Amino acid sequence: MCQRLPVPALVPYRTDDPFCKVNRTLAMAAHRGAAAVSLGDKGHLNGDSGLRDWPEGLRWLQRFTDAAR
């Protein structure tokens, strides 16, 4: 059984991730008490997807930490 996380959490996901379907991602986030945000259809979030420095991810991280304060 999944336990809720004791801290705020954010799950960024992609709508076309070949390793985890959207409904599964959203269910896992909900079971952990995490917010989920769609980043569109750009494949799996990893180094092979060409993210490089990934400024979009840094913006999401900044928004998340600002909201958590």
Side-chain angles (χ1 to χ4, degrees):
M1 182 79 172
C2 293
Q3 292 183 332
R4 293 179 67 85
L5 297 170
V7 296
L10 178 66
V11 175
Y13 68 93
R14 297 223 170 129
T15 55
D16 64 344
D17 188 326
F19 299 107
C20 194
K21 301 294 183 194
V22 172
N23 60 342
R24 179 70 178 134
T25 300
L26 296 176
M28 288 188 296
H31 285 133
R32 295 290 186 172
V37 60
S38 171
L39 301 181
D41 59 346
K42 301 174 187 172
H44 188 66
L45 287 169
N46 65 6
D48 292 336
S49 62
L51 294 172
R52 303 197 195 283
D53 289 340
W54 198 34
E56 181 183 16
L58 292 174
R59 286 190 297 275
W60 277 109
L61 178 61
Q62 187 63 54
R63 288 182 203 139
F64 178 72
T65 56
D66 288 348
R69 292 181 197 177

